[in-house]
């Protein structure tokens, strides 16, 4: 992780539930199971996006469970990996919202380096088994991450996609509740739910409008042509 997260997440990292989570992950690997993303990539979102730089949080559910996909940033895949259906739908909405032509790749690191924290509520998964690492300890840790961002005095936009992500809204004091932040909730962009309100939600333009209104630099959502 970037050192800026160390102090605020120290208690969460040292708690018994985190030790139990690490033991669980070690046992899964020892049993011959594939766990995604690789151990060195699990905290990639917190490595690329320092706490003081966070302007937008995009919160998903758990990592992609297909081989070669997850690399520690929610919804992102490495260069050369075909964008999964959820990301294709994100690109479709971005095009409808801002007119941005989708990139030919699914590598979202450029967003992370601008202050978009690409986080999942659960940060690991067994190969081929979506949701397999829920209720193992990650939720408590990502609660702490959201609380840390929500404690920032500068306005942040929280894009909470899907029911699991939306539970984190309880930790965020929005402008309407006397705080500094904006929460934009929508269904998950997966093919199973995208047509239930994801399409037409306009998260990208709304996020930038809020940032500009509150004196913060907007996000350049257009990705480089090559990842």
């Amino acid at each position: 992780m970037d050192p800026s997260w160390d102090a605020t997440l120290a208690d969460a990292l040292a708690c018994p539930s985190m030790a139990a989570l690490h033991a669980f992950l070690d046992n899964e690997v020892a049993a011959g199971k594939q766990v995604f993303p690789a151990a060195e990539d699990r905290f990639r979102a917190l490595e690329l996006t320092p706490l003081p730089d966070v302007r937008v949080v995009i919160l998903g559910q758990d990592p992609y469970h297909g081989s070669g996909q997850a690399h520690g940033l929610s919804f992102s895949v490495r260069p050369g990996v075909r964008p999964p259906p959820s990301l294709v739908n994100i690109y479709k909405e971005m095009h409808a919202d801002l007119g941005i032509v989708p990139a030919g790749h699914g590598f979202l690191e450029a967003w992370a380096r601008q202050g978009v924290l690409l986080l999942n509520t659960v940060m690991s998964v067994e190969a081929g088994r979506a949701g397999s690492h829920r209720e193992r300890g990650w939720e408590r840790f990502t609660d702490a991450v959201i609380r840390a961002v929500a404690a920032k005095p500068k306005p942040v936009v929280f894009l909470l996609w899907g029911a699991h992500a939306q539970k984190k809204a309880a930790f965020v004091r929005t402008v309407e509740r006397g705080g500094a932040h904006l929460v934009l909730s929508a269904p998950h962009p997966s093919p199973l739910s995208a047509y239930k309100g994801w399409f037409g939600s306009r998260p990208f333009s709304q996020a930038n409008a809020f940032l500009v209104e509150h004196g913060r630099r907007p996000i350049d959502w257009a990705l480089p042509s090559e990842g």
Side-chain angles (χ1 to χ4, degrees):
M1 296 188 298
D2 183 86
S4 61
W5 294 98
D6 290 349
T8 193
L9 296 180
D11 288 345
L13 288 167
C15 75
S17 65
M18 203 65 180
L21 171 62
H22 285 305
F24 164 74
L25 293 171
D26 288 344
N27 288 337
E28 291 290 279
V29 172
K33 297 179 181 179
Q34 280 190 295
V35 174
F36 301 137
E40 61 269 21
D41 288 331
R42 284 182 197 141
F43 295 92
R44 183 67 169 157
L46 301 174
E47 178 185 351
L48 290 179
T49 310
L51 178 57
D53 296 350
V54 178
R55 287 182 282 154
V56 174
V57 177
I58 292 181
L59 192 60
Q61 295 183 5
D62 54 359
Y64 296 127
H65 55 83
S67 180
Q69 293 180 316
H71 66 107
L73 303 180
S74 63
F75 298 104
S76 179
V77 291
R78 293 189 186 280
V81 177
R82 182 178 179 179
S86 293
L87 183 53
V88 170
N89 286 339
I90 290 171
Y91 285 170
K92 287 179 179 177
E93 179 60 21
M94 188 168 63
H95 183 256
D97 187 12
L98 297 175
I100 295 173
V101 176
H105 60 85
F107 190 52
L108 305 182
E109 189 171 295
W111 291 357
R113 293 188 181 279
Q114 289 186 72
V116 180
L117 181 62
L118 295 165
L119 189 69
N120 283 308
T121 59
V122 173
M123 296 170 64
S124 65
V125 69
E126 182 183 341
R129 295 187 62 211
S132 52
H133 289 183
R134 291 177 189 163
E135 307 300 331
R136 291 290 185 174
W138 280 124
E139 291 88 350
R140 183 169 178 175
F141 176 74
T142 52
D143 284 354
V145 174
I146 296 301
R147 285 193 177 101
V149 177
K152 288 165 53 73
K154 291 185 177 180
V156 173
V157 181
F158 292 81
L159 303 181
L160 308 182
W161 296 344
H164 293 279
Q166 289 164 21
K167 293 178 181 178
K168 308 289 192 188
F171 306 133
V172 182
R173 289 188 66 195
T174 61
V175 171
E176 293 81 3
R177 295 168 55 196
H181 310 303
L182 174 67
V183 169
L184 296 173
S185 297
H188 194 277
S190 75
L192 295 175
S193 55
Y195 288 94
K196 298 177 181 178
W198 158 255
F199 289 124
S201 61
R202 300 178 55 245
F204 308 101
S205 63
Q206 290 189 75
N208 276 355
F210 180 84
L211 291 172
V212 170
E213 180 184 353
H214 290 83
R216 303 207 71 185
R217 184 165 50 91
I219 303 298
D220 180 4
W221 296 105
L223 293 163
S225 57
E226 296 184 6

